[in-house]
Each structure stands twice: as C-alpha cells, then as structure tokens.
Amino acid sequence: MNKNNLIGFILIGLVLVGFSLWNRPSEEELAKQQQKEQIEKKNKEEQTKAKAKVDAERAQTLQQATTDTSALFHKALTGEAKSIVLKNSKLQLQLNTKGGVVDKAVISNFTDRNGNKDLTLFQGKDQSLTYTFATKDGYVSTADLYFTASDVTDTTVTFTAEAAAGKTLTIKYVLGNEYMLHTSISATGMGGILNPSINTVDINWQERCAQQEKGFTFESRYASLTYHNTEGGTDYLSETSEKIDEVIEDKIDWVAFKNQFFSAVMIAKTDFGTNATLTSIPQEKGSGYLKQYQAKLKTAFDPTGAQPTQLDFYYGPNDFRLLQKMESQSHFGKDLELERLVYLGWPLFRIINRWFTLYVFDWLTGLDINMGVVLILITLLLKFITFPLVKKSYLSSAKMRVLKPKLEEATKEFNKPEDQMKKQQAMMSEYAKYGVSPLSGCLPMLIQMPIWIAMFNFVPNAIQLRGESFLWIDDLSTYDPVLEWGHNIWLIGDHLSLTCILFCLSNVLYSMMTMRQQRDQMVGQQAEQMKMMQWMMYLMPVMFFFMFNDYSSGLNFYYFVSLFFSAAIMWFLRKTTNDEKLLSSLEANYKEAQSNPQKLKGLSARLQAMQQQQQELQRKREQLGQK
C-alpha cells in the first residue's frame, strides 16, 4: 500500500467519524426524545388501566347477566364448551361452542418440524377471534357466549346463541373441498335489541404465529402480516421490527397471518372498512413462535338480519398455483390476488419469476424428479439462454487482453499523474480503431444479477422444496448443518451450513477467475491498483457466509451450482479462444477502419467521435493558453 492509499484510508476514516459525530443528537434532542418516550410510556400505562377497568366492568356485567334471567343472552352466558370437528382430505378444523369460532387448524399431508405427518397451524389460545355487536344499551361479544350446535356434518355446522325468545345470533360454517371455510353471520328478530344506527361488526383477530420450520431466523424473515387493498395490490407490516396498531387508511379485502409456507387468511365479502389497525410483534428465538399478530377490523353487518355478514377463511399452504385456484372457490367474485402471499420480488424480478421461473419450475416438477435436480436443470437452462451474451462479453474482454501490448505502447508517454486524462483518451482512441467496446466486459454481471436476485426471492418461497432431500441435504427449504452447537455465536448462529460453505468457496473461485481476466486486460497503474483491490474481492465471500449461513440450503445450492457453471464456462471460453486469430481479426478491423472510416459503427463510431471532440477541445484550450 503506497502513501496515497494510506492517506486516502485515513481521510475516509476521519470522514466516517466526523459524520457519526455530526449526526449524534444534541442534548436538546436527547431530552425531547426522552420526554417523548416518557409520554408514550405514560399513555401505555393509561391504556392498560383503561383496559383493565373495561374488563372489570365487563366481568361485572356478565356476572349480573348470568343471575338476571331477563338479561340479554342470559342463557348463552353459561354452558359447556364443546368441540365440533369439520374435515375433508386437506384440512381439519376444530370449532368451539364457546365463542363459536375455530380454535384449531390442522393441514393434512404436510409434515411438521417434529416429524408428525400433519401440520398444526394453530391451536388453543394461540389464536382468538371475537365479533362484537353494538346493542342499544352497550355491546355483546361472541367470546362471552356459549353457542348451540346444529346441522352438524363433516363439513357444516350452525352455531346459535339465544338472546331472548325468538331472538338469536347465528354463525354458519361450510368447509369447501380444500382449504376454504365459508362463514355467514346473521341476527334473527333482534331489530329491537341491536343498535339500528350501527351497521358494522367489530372483529378482533389475534394469533401467536407458531414456528413451523427448523430455521427460526430464516422463517421469521418470511413471516409477515399481509393485507390486500380493495383497489388492488398487497402490502405488509415489517417482518423484523415491532409494529403496534398500525392504521391502514384504505379499505382492504383480506388480512393474512402468514409464516414462510402457511397462512391463515380472513376475507370479507364487502371489504374491511377504513382505519383498520394491525399489529405485528417479533418473538424471541427459542420461544417456539415467530410473531404476535393482531387485526382490529370492521365489516358490514345488518342489524335487521335481512343480509348476513359473509367471510371466507383460508387455512393452507402458500402455494402460488393453489392460491390462484382458491380465488375461484371464494364466493365473493373478487380479484383477491391471494397468490401475492408468495412473494416473488420487486417488479422486474417478479416478472422474471412470474413469467419464466414459475413455468419452468411447474414443468420440471411435473416430471416427478428430485427437487435438487430441478434446481440444477433450471441453472443449466438459464446458463444456456444467457450463453450467447456471456460469450460475446468474454470475447470483448479477450479483445482487450490481446490489445494490451498495443495499449501499453500507445500510452507509455502518459505515466505522470497529470497525464491520466490524455492516457484515457489514447486508450479510447485505440479501442475505437480496433472496433472494441471496453464496456462489454461488464455484461456478465449485468446479465446474472437480475436472475440471481429473482431466484433469491423465488427459492425461499417455493413450498415444493419443503421437506425435499437431495444428496446430504435433508430439507432443501432450510439450512443443512455440517456442524451444530447449542448456543448462538455472533454473526454465525448455532451451526455451519455446508451448502453455504460451498457457495462461498465457488464464489472465491469465480472471483479469482474474473480478477485474472480483468488484470490481463489492464494497462499500467490499473493493473497495480487491481492487485491492491484483490483483498476486497476475497472479502465478499466472507460477507456472504455471514449473510447466507441461515438461508435455505436450496438457495445456497442454486448459487453454488450457478457459480460453478459460470466458472466452467469462463474456463471453457478461455481454452477455446485463439488469441493469435483474435488479434489477426482485430488487425483486419484496424486496416479496414483506416481505409474506410465510414464503416465504423456502434460504440466504436461513438468512441471515435468522442475522441475527435476531446482532441478538438484540447487544441482550443492550448490555443487560448498561448494567447
């Protein structure tokens, strides 16, 4: 490292330190922040006290109602909680007569992380759902009521709570053939009891989202409270930070409590009104849970009982094609876009995944071959498609390599620091003469990056990889530990992933080959500077290791295979490129350009024109300097 580099690093360090000091809040700002935190703490305490007071008043009211035979829902306030089971070949739901809602959902034929053949999405107190209706004298909540079950079959049940003689609240459930539960809520004869001026029902839905996969950190990254705007498009609360009572101003069609591969979704026929409040609180590793979700919603309710409130619930896997099909099984005729629960990336990457990766993936999985082989075949197909561009890019770099002696000869007189502009001009002039584009060497990275990022979004969300083994990998959807220990180490975690190690090693190999290729085409001080920058290229695989050690083995395996084939293609092109023939063709281009400059086209022509303009500007500056 020379003196200039050392000074440069020192200056960068001073700038960073100065920037951090400059950004440090002042004493006044710290005092305001502390005051704000105290106010928020006080507000939370007041909210807690108010809630406790309301709960106490509610408990007192309920106690009075259970002893007052004339009270509203007197009979329904006491009873015995009984379980009713609805099931089909895909889903088993347990409903409770206390509250009249689902309190357990089991998805069939999906193994859980403990090896059980069916997966329990939630059970018991992990999820709660309450409907609250406005009466003329107050409110009534379904959580306080014991319902009577009737019309019970394997796929249907009707829950009824009697408010008074001939006055009832009814919740009907019909389980579809797959993962959709249809719900209808209506009041009968309660026109004189319910508040006629309030035509909405309050919904309070909560779930403590259980960890379903081996890798907590990776699964939590893909678990989010997601919702769909009535006007179109989906959004979600942050997966990593705590969001409490986030107000959604737009109307929404559905809310999903989503983990990596499974979701519970509530869909409204007439939408959920404005100002819904959503909460997502990340849970601690080792707790067995990913997030604490809550949705406070309002939807239409007819207190006269003429029109029922209709809701659909989806309890099932986040499978793109399945979710597309589920839309037709909803009875509401809406463009729900449930498939958006499978995140495919930002618009450009979503287009790649939506219109290419998904179709190739569907075709290959339809052949009933191992999912590891599917990833290899997708990689080979992508390499085959991009090979012409990669080859063209490599040949451009090879042209610059064989021209290196001529460039050094043409620029040898411009070695002083003040002559660097002239040196660049001389190099551009040589490139233009031989018809070479110095920018084409960047194409391999530009070609691969969108595909890499698209696969970064696709593979972790592909439920088809879940539980699939390949070679030494037990499950392609989570990490493959070659070594584990019982506690977390900062930046590493509690394991070493073998596919992550292979990915990083292949990255080192590919970096070595690309650096060699770049170094072979650089002139003068550029080559020396490249040597000093090598350590940064080797640092990237180390950074990738800390980033990807928790990621799915399927994603790491894809990157490993992709880099391996990229290195193999580069080696093949190097071995099959005849430098002498390449130089001869460039010499022929040079002679042709000399004899007929009009034949220069594309970037070469632009470089030539640019060179002439720079020379003209330089000539004018020199003339002005002489005057």
Side-chain angles (χ1 to χ4, degrees):
M1 182 179 294
N2 60 30
K3 181 172 125 181
N4 291 335
N5 292 109
L6 182 60
I7 292 172
F9 280 119
I10 292 173
L11 289 175
I12 290 171
L14 290 174
V15 168
L16 291 174
V17 172
F19 184 75
S20 62
L21 291 173
W22 182 69
N23 271 326
R24 189 174 64 180
S26 64
E27 295 295 331
E28 183 180 354
E29 290 173 330
L30 287 172
K32 286 182 179 179
Q33 180 64 27
Q34 187 176 9
Q35 184 180 9
K36 181 181 177 182
E37 290 175 355
Q38 289 175 349
I39 292 172
E40 289 177 351
K41 183 180 179 181
K42 184 178 179 181
N43 289 338
K44 285 183 179 180
E45 290 175 352
E46 290 177 353
Q47 289 174 2
T48 302
K49 289 179 181 178
K51 184 177 182 300
K53 182 179 179 182
V54 170
D55 289 343
E57 290 175 352
R58 176 182 167 193
Q60 185 178 2
T61 302
L62 290 173
Q63 185 177 7
Q64 292 173 353
T66 56
T67 57
D68 183 359
T69 57
S70 63
L72 192 63
F73 287 105
H74 166 72
K75 293 182 178 179
L77 291 173
T78 57
E80 181 182 355
K82 298 179 181 180
S83 295
I84 305 294
V85 175
L86 305 182
K87 61 182 179 180
N88 56 29
S89 61
K90 303 291 183 66
L91 186 64
Q92 179 175 302
L93 299 175
Q94 178 178 289
L95 296 90
N96 200 314
T97 55
K98 174 68 185 297
V101 292
V102 178
D103 65 4
K104 184 178 181 180
V106 178
I107 303 173
S108 303
N109 305 316
F110 283 93
T111 306
D112 68 11
R113 66 190 180 106
N114 297 317
N116 299 314
K117 69 172 185 176
D118 298 325
L119 181 141
T120 300
L121 188 61
F122 61 83
Q123 62 180 334
K125 295 182 179 180
D126 287 348
Q127 186 178 106
S128 65
L129 175 59
T130 302
Y131 304 103
T132 301
F133 305 89
T135 67
K136 290 183 176 180
D137 299 323
Y139 294 91
V140 59
S141 172
T142 56
D144 300 325
L145 304 179
Y146 290 85
F147 288 80
T148 301
S150 61
D151 302 327
V152 180
T153 69
D154 281 347
T155 57
T156 63
V157 65
T158 299
F159 285 133
T160 305
E162 185 179 348
K167 304 178 186 297
T168 58
L169 182 65
T170 303
I171 307 176
K172 295 182 179 180
Y173 292 102
V174 177
L175 179 62
N177 295 329
E178 296 189 77
Y179 301 100
M180 196 74 80
L181 177 68
H182 308 288
T183 307
S184 174
I185 306 170
S186 59
T188 301
M190 296 184 66
I193 296 175
L194 297 176
N195 191 330
S197 63
I198 299 179
N199 58 357
T200 59
V201 54
D202 290 338
I203 302 173
N204 189 344
W205 188 30
Q206 300 184 57
E207 181 183 329
R208 199 177 181 200
C209 182
Q211 179 183 345
Q212 303 290 356
E213 314 303 324
K214 179 172 66 175
F216 171 86
T217 304
F218 189 64
E219 184 184 5
S220 183
R221 189 178 288 114
Y222 292 91
S224 62
L225 192 157
T226 306
Y227 56 93
H228 182 266
N229 295 310
T230 301
E231 298 299 323
T234 57
D235 206 345
Y236 56 91
L237 302 189
S238 171
E239 307 97 327
T240 56
S241 59
E242 183 177 287
K243 298 293 181 182
I244 298 177
D245 288 343
E246 288 282 310
V247 178
I248 310 302
E249 296 180 355
D250 298 326
K251 294 181 179 180
I252 55 182
D253 285 322
W254 52 257
V255 175
F257 293 165
K258 173 182 176 292
N259 61 20
Q260 185 179 3
F261 292 124
F262 303 93
S263 292
V265 187
M266 182 192 295
I267 309 164
K269 180 179 181 179
T270 55
D271 69 55
F272 298 113
T274 58
N275 298 321
T277 57
L278 308 178
T279 295
S280 175
I281 304 173
Q283 303 297 288
E284 293 293 329
K285 184 175 183 179
S287 66
Y289 296 91
L290 303 171
K291 306 285 170 61
Q292 176 68 52
Y293 293 137
Q294 183 177 26
K296 298 176 184 177
L297 312 161
K298 289 180 182 291
T299 194
F301 177 74
D302 184 0
T304 68
Q307 293 292 331
T309 296
Q310 295 185 52
L311 301 168
D312 280 344
F313 291 86
Y314 173 82
Y315 304 108
N318 301 329
D319 183 317
F320 190 92
R321 298 302 186 195
L322 173 66
L323 289 166
Q324 283 183 314
K325 186 172 68 172
M326 284 297 105
E327 192 157 305
S328 64
Q329 296 188 20
S330 174
H331 295 164
F332 304 154
K334 290 183 174 183
D335 184 12
L336 296 173
E337 297 184 298
L338 285 172
E339 69 274 10
R340 291 263 183 166
L341 286 170
V342 181
Y343 183 69
L344 297 179
W346 291 351
L348 171 62
F349 314 120
R350 179 177 176 81
I351 289 170
I352 295 172
N353 284 327
R354 175 68 181 85
W355 302 108
F356 174 77
T357 313
L358 265 170
Y359 284 100
V360 174
F361 193 75
D362 290 344
W363 172 59
L364 291 174
T365 52
L367 299 177
D368 196 26
I369 55 180
N370 184 275
M371 297 308 299
V373 178
V374 168
L375 292 175
I376 294 174
L377 292 176
I378 289 177
T379 307
L380 288 173
L381 179 60
L382 290 171
K383 295 300 178 187
F384 177 78
I385 293 172
T386 58
F387 179 76
L389 291 174
V390 171
K391 182 179 180 180
K392 184 177 179 180
S393 173
Y394 176 82
L395 287 177
S396 177
S397 298
K399 290 174 183 178
M400 296 168 68
R401 183 180 72 245
V402 298
L403 285 176
K404 181 177 178 180
K406 296 184 179 296
L407 291 172
E408 289 177 338
E409 179 66 25
T411 61
K412 64 181 180 181
E413 58 182 300
F414 306 118
N415 287 325
K416 296 179 181 179
E418 61 270 20
D419 293 336
Q420 291 305 304
M421 179 63 72
K422 294 180 179 179
K423 185 173 185 176
Q424 290 295 326
Q425 291 173 355
M427 291 173 64
M428 291 295 130
S429 178
E430 290 298 305
Y431 287 141
K433 290 176 185 177
Y434 289 94
V436 174
S437 169
L439 300 179
S440 298
C442 302
L443 275 177
M445 185 59 69
L446 295 177
I447 294 167
Q448 292 186 65
M449 283 307 294
I451 296 172
W452 270 48
I453 297 174
M455 294 300 289
F456 177 84
N457 289 297
F458 179 81
V459 174
N461 291 295
I463 194 172
Q464 292 83 355
L465 298 179
R466 187 179 185 272
E468 291 291 319
S469 61
F470 179 66
L471 300 177
W472 69 89
I473 305 170
D474 293 330
D475 186 349
L476 284 164
S477 70
T478 188
Y479 62 84
D480 56 321
V482 67
L483 184 63
E484 290 185 280
W485 47 89
H487 59 281
N488 282 325
I489 297 177
W490 184 62
L491 291 179
I492 297 178
D494 57 4
H495 65 275
L496 290 177
S497 173
L498 181 55
T499 51
C500 179
I501 294 171
L502 291 174
F503 159 45
C504 293
L505 290 176
S506 62
N507 201 349
V508 171
L509 173 63
Y510 185 69
S511 298
M512 289 173 61
M513 298 181 72
T514 53
M515 283 190 295
R516 178 187 172 188
Q517 179 177 314
Q518 293 173 9
R519 190 169 56 246
D520 288 347
Q521 66 192 40
M522 289 183 174
V523 178
Q525 291 184 353
Q526 289 181 335
E528 294 299 320
Q529 292 172 354
M530 184 64 188
K531 290 179 181 178
M532 290 187 291
M533 296 299 291
Q534 285 182 3
W535 65 272
M536 294 185 64
M537 300 295 291
Y538 290 123
L539 185 62
M540 286 187 63
V542 177
M543 295 173 59
F544 280 141
F545 170 76
F546 293 121
M547 291 172 58
F548 285 83
N549 191 44
D550 270 325
Y551 274 61
S552 71
S553 55
L555 183 64
N556 280 321
F557 181 73
Y558 166 77
Y559 283 156
F560 160 65
V561 174
S562 179
L563 283 168
F564 176 81
F565 282 120
S566 294
I569 290 170
M570 190 177 294
W571 176 85
F572 171 77
L573 291 172
R574 182 67 182 252
K575 289 296 183 181
T576 55
T577 301
N578 189 315
D579 288 0
E580 293 181 0
K581 288 184 178 181
L582 187 60
L583 183 58
S584 297
S585 67
L586 292 174
E587 294 285 2
N589 291 343
Y590 177 54
K591 291 177 181 179
E592 186 176 2
Q594 281 186 318
S595 61
N596 190 358
Q598 299 301 320
K599 286 193 174 183
L600 281 174
K601 58 183 181 179
L603 184 60
S604 297
R606 290 194 294 272
L607 289 172
Q608 183 75 359
M610 189 185 301
Q611 175 66 18
Q612 291 173 354
Q613 289 176 359
Q614 289 176 342
Q615 289 175 349
E616 182 64 24
L617 286 172
Q618 184 67 25
R619 186 181 63 79
K620 289 181 179 179
R621 286 174 186 162
E622 290 175 354
Q623 289 177 350
L624 289 172
Q626 290 174 357
K627 292 180 180 180

